[in-house]
Amino acid sequence: MVENFTFDMVDDVGGLVGNICLALDRDGIPHIAYRAHRPVGNIMLASKRSAGWTVEDTGAVSPPEANRVSFGMDSLGCPHIAYRDSSSGHLGYMVKADGSWNREHVPTSGGLFPQSVMDVSMQLHPGKHDESMRDTPHIAFRETFSTQALCYATKIDGTWRGHVKVLDDLPLRTTGLFNSLAFSNGEGLRIAYFDELETNEGVGRRQLKLAEVFNDEWTDGVIDEAGSAGQNASLAGHGEGDICVVYWDGETGELKAWLKPFASPVVKEAVATGLTRNTSPSAEFNWRSELCVAYGDGRLKLAKRAMHGDAAGRWSTQTVDAEGGAWPSVVCDKDRTHLAYMKDGRLWYALGIRDDTP
């Protein structure tokens, strides 16, 4: 199935440096958090209005490392943003309520005080099954002040609860690289991430891993040996029990997908090949439980894979924008695909309407 897209220029001032994250509010209206050189890497928030787009400077500043600004809209229509603070390196978290931003640094060192972090990924609890947890922020991050460990924090009843989750017995140099956090349909929490291990030659080797929590206990396992250049994981897990992790392999130039269809064996496939530049994919399941992967190769591409039925395993790819595509972020609602991305240092938004003609 192909989609026809309409396009909006959201922010044409220029100076975007990536880190784009798109979210829909309770009314299905798109909002986009991103980083721009206004003046020194400020986090901006663009919102779709009837008269066009509005752009707001949140006042927070994030550094230029390849960390996607992590953003979500809660059930009351309030925006939440998690990020790495530029001046301190701490895990920053902010929420806008009653017209003003409330900013704080998350206590990451044993849950007592903030320390430096990298690779921040946040989701708000959907609260469909457990209403008491609705809208609580859940954040995965890599601490960089001691053991380079994968960590997780959540805020419940106004209190941050921080937990260091070093889930390996092997000698690690770094764990938690390029992590991506998502909830399952049953509201189970998962984190996809990379470990970087030392070899006898002292050269790093990366493993793609998937961690899951049950009854407050974490388990994890290697799901792909990614060589030394795997990065930019994107975890999707809302497709009727399906799980998917998409990442870029810099050694082979492939965009890879690790897929676990519901009640079916694991599949490992290439989404795209011959990519000569670092790409940051964004994965999401759509209304048909198809896996949608947005990525850039000098153009904005949207790849889809049927997960079930007669068409299961078939990939189709369309070019959405032939002139852009950096840092795409994809979100699907009941019958549309929303895309935010960068082109020529400017922020763009594309809206797709399903065409059921094969």
Side-chain angles (χ1 to χ4, degrees):
M1 304 293 179
V2 298
E3 293 181 73
N4 297 314
F5 283 86
T6 60
F7 299 87
D8 290 344
M9 171 84 81
V10 178
D11 187 336
D12 63 356
V13 175
L16 264 71
V17 287
N19 310 83
I20 296 166
C21 189
L22 168 69
L24 306 181
D25 65 20
R26 57 188 175 180
D27 297 317
I29 297 171
H31 305 260
I32 307 168
Y34 59 102
R35 182 182 179 276
H37 280 313
R38 293 204 298 273
V40 288
N42 291 35
I43 297 175
M44 314 295 289
L45 180 63
S47 300
K48 178 75 169 177
R49 306 299 183 194
S50 58
W53 289 85
T54 63
V55 174
E56 174 185 2
D57 188 336
T58 68
V61 180
S62 183
E65 293 95 341
N67 288 270
R68 191 184 294 276
V69 174
S70 204
F71 166 55
M73 299 291 294
D74 69 22
S75 61
L76 299 177
C78 299
H80 299 241
I81 299 176
Y83 61 100
R84 182 173 186 254
D85 181 75
S86 187
S87 60
S88 65
H90 294 167
L91 173 56
Y93 168 77
M94 57 183 172
V95 57
K96 187 177 184 180
D98 299 324
S100 62
W101 287 99
N102 300 311
R103 288 188 290 270
E104 61 182 311
H105 286 180
V106 179
T108 53
S109 180
L112 299 176
F113 53 89
Q115 286 278 18
S116 59
V117 304
M118 291 282 286
D119 299 317
V120 176
S121 177
M122 179 193 71
Q123 291 282 328
L124 302 179
H125 196 288
K128 294 179 180 179
H129 302 295
D130 186 352
E131 293 185 3
S132 67
M133 293 293 290
R134 180 173 295 157
D135 298 332
T136 54
H138 296 254
I139 308 175
F141 58 95
R142 175 167 58 93
E143 62 126 339
T144 58
F145 52 88
S146 60
T147 60
Q148 298 279 336
L150 174 67
C151 302
Y152 158 74
T154 183
K155 191 176 189 180
I156 299 175
D157 296 328
T159 300
W160 284 104
R161 304 179 184 181
H163 307 278
V164 176
K165 298 295 177 184
V166 183
L167 300 172
D168 299 89
D169 295 324
L170 296 173
L172 299 177
R173 184 172 69 195
T174 302
T175 183
L177 281 160
F178 304 105
N179 64 71
S180 178
L181 179 150
F183 285 97
S184 68
N185 275 354
E187 299 181 352
L189 192 61
R190 301 185 178 105
I191 306 172
Y193 63 100
F194 288 97
D195 279 344
E196 190 170 69
L197 296 89
E198 294 281 4
T199 67
N200 292 333
E201 295 79 19
V203 179
R205 178 174 62 85
R206 288 182 186 167
Q207 301 177 131
L208 178 62
K209 307 190 79 172
L210 183 66
E212 301 179 86
V213 62
F214 299 97
N215 297 322
D216 294 326
E217 293 293 330
W218 288 87
T219 61
D220 78 330
V222 176
I223 60 175
D224 202 0
E225 295 285 351
S228 62
Q231 57 185 300
N232 300 341
S234 180
L235 170 63
H238 296 279
E240 300 302 326
D242 302 326
I243 312 171
C244 172
V245 183
V246 178
Y247 72 94
W248 183 65
D249 187 331
E251 286 187 325
T252 65
E254 293 179 311
L255 188 63
K256 295 181 175 179
W258 178 94
L259 303 116
K260 178 62 176 71
F262 179 70
S264 299
V266 168
V267 178
K268 299 177 184 179
E269 297 176 344
V271 181
T273 59
L275 303 180
T276 59
R277 64 183 72 186
N278 186 343
T279 186
S280 178
S282 178
E284 172 93 340
F285 287 102
N286 68 9
W287 58 90
R288 300 172 63 91
S289 292
E290 295 172 325
L291 173 65
C292 297
V293 181
Y295 66 97
D297 66 350
R299 298 165 292 177
L300 176 63
K301 298 286 191 67
L302 180 65
K304 296 180 183 178
R305 183 193 192 275
M307 298 295 291
H308 306 284
D310 295 339
R314 297 179 188 173
W315 285 95
S316 63
T317 303
Q318 69 178 104
T319 298
V320 177
D321 191 326
E323 299 178 350
W327 285 97
S329 180
V330 60
V331 175
C332 300
D333 61 19
K334 62 182 181 180
D335 60 2
R336 301 175 299 176
T337 302
H338 305 254
L339 290 163
Y341 62 101
M342 186 171 67
K343 179 170 69 172
D344 296 327
R346 295 169 172 82
L347 179 64
W348 286 78
Y349 165 79
L351 175 64
I353 306 297
R354 184 175 66 202
D355 180 358
D356 285 326
T357 303

